[in-house]
Amino acid sequence: MAAAGTATDTKNIITLKGSVEIVTEFFGFSINSILYQRGIYPPESFSAVSQYGLSMLVTTDDGLKGYLSQVLGQLSSWLSRGEVQKLVVVITGVDSGDVLERWVFNVETDKSITASGGGVEKSAKEIQKEIQAIIRQITASVSFLPLLDEPCTFDLLVYTDADTDVPRSWEESDPQYISNSTEVRLRSFTTKVHKVDAMVAYKTGDDDDDEARGARAAALVAVAWGVGAVVGARSSGLACMR
């Protein structure tokens, strides 16, 4: 993972380039965390690194590292032009073919900064604290999510502006929504150039009644907000990297 050198001087001026680096790096660590926590890849294929004041797990699988590097490189380019609306990590059961989870990261961009190339003031420590909260939520929330009891694969979907230039290596995709799902909103962070809101949606069993579904969602919300206690359709600009 690239280092997040984002505050350009003692006044903590965040430039467009610095904000893109922060957001891209956050997506890289978040994807790795989700893949590890949800068992998409074996635990022995990850190694620990220190980032955001936390111990983070990142893949050592050469194929996966190459794939993520390619995706994040393109994502960085789109972010720098203010063309990204959201990134979605879709987890699908291999045997059932069902979409089981969607980890959604909505992106808002201050288009005045992308147009002017100026900067904004925000403490690097404050940004790190906000990112820590989301990473801790990812780690804590998965312990309450339904067990993934079949082999799973994942896709990365990027919602972009409709007129965005999409490389041939990316495929058009449907949104891969989950039928019969529960959604839990997580925290957000902002560089004041980009704001990222996080959410996870998971498939609810057909035999779950409303009371059980509500109890599980309440438990997830408690974890999501109690951080202190936890140490395409081309017309809509949807592209999928496989």
Side-chain angles (χ1 to χ4, degrees):
M1 294 295 167
T6 56
T8 59
D9 59 26
T10 56
K11 294 181 180 179
N12 295 311
I13 301 299
I14 307 298
T15 63
L16 172 61
K17 180 180 178 181
S19 181
V20 168
E21 290 175 356
I22 293 172
V23 175
T24 302
E25 182 179 70
F26 164 77
F27 283 149
F29 279 107
S30 295
I31 293 167
N32 270 276
S33 183
I34 291 167
L35 297 180
Y36 173 81
Q37 297 292 342
R38 300 311 284 147
I40 309 303
Y41 283 78
E44 60 269 20
S45 66
F46 291 82
S47 63
V49 298
S50 179
Q51 184 67 21
Y52 309 127
L54 302 170
S55 179
M56 304 292 300
L57 289 158
V58 296
T59 182
T60 59
D61 181 280
D62 289 337
L64 180 56
K65 286 196 296 184
Y67 168 75
L68 292 180
S69 177
Q70 184 178 359
V71 171
L72 294 173
Q74 181 59 62
L75 189 61
S76 176
S77 177
W78 284 332
L79 283 167
S80 68
R81 297 195 295 268
E83 296 175 338
V84 177
Q85 299 173 9
K86 68 179 71 176
L87 168 72
V88 184
V89 183
V90 179
I91 297 177
T92 304
V94 172
D95 297 332
S96 65
D98 292 337
V99 176
L100 304 177
E101 293 176 9
R102 294 178 90 248
W103 295 81
V104 181
F105 299 92
N106 291 296
V107 179
E108 296 177 16
T109 305
D110 185 338
K111 295 298 181 69
S112 68
I113 301 297
T114 59
S116 69
V120 293
E121 288 191 24
K122 183 163 183 179
S123 165
K125 289 184 178 179
E126 185 179 355
I127 295 172
Q128 176 171 294
K129 183 178 179 181
E130 292 172 357
I131 291 176
Q132 280 179 340
I134 302 176
I135 296 297
R136 284 171 170 158
Q137 287 176 328
I138 292 173
T139 302
S141 297
V142 293
S143 65
F144 289 89
L145 291 171
L147 177 67
L148 298 177
D149 55 1
E150 61 176 305
C152 293
T153 187
F154 79 100
D155 288 325
L156 296 177
L157 311 183
V158 179
Y159 288 67
T160 65
D161 295 345
D163 58 352
T164 295
D165 184 23
V166 178
R168 291 183 178 181
S169 57
W170 289 67
E171 301 176 0
E172 297 178 6
S173 173
D174 65 79
Q176 301 188 44
Y177 291 127
I178 304 173
S179 59
N180 196 25
S181 68
T182 297
E183 298 183 358
V184 177
R185 297 199 175 276
L186 306 178
R187 288 189 182 270
S188 64
F189 82 90
T190 179
T191 65
K192 291 190 176 179
V193 179
H194 297 97
K195 180 181 179 183
V196 178
D197 291 297
M199 182 271 286
V200 59
Y202 62 91
K203 184 175 181 61
T204 308
D206 295 334
D207 55 349
D208 282 4
D209 57 28
D210 290 338
E211 183 177 354
R213 194 174 298 127
R216 182 180 295 160
L220 277 162
V221 169
V223 169
W225 293 105
V227 176
V230 179
V231 172
R234 182 60 188 281
S235 60
S236 61
L238 180 55
C240 174
M241 181 67 180
R242 296 181 182 273

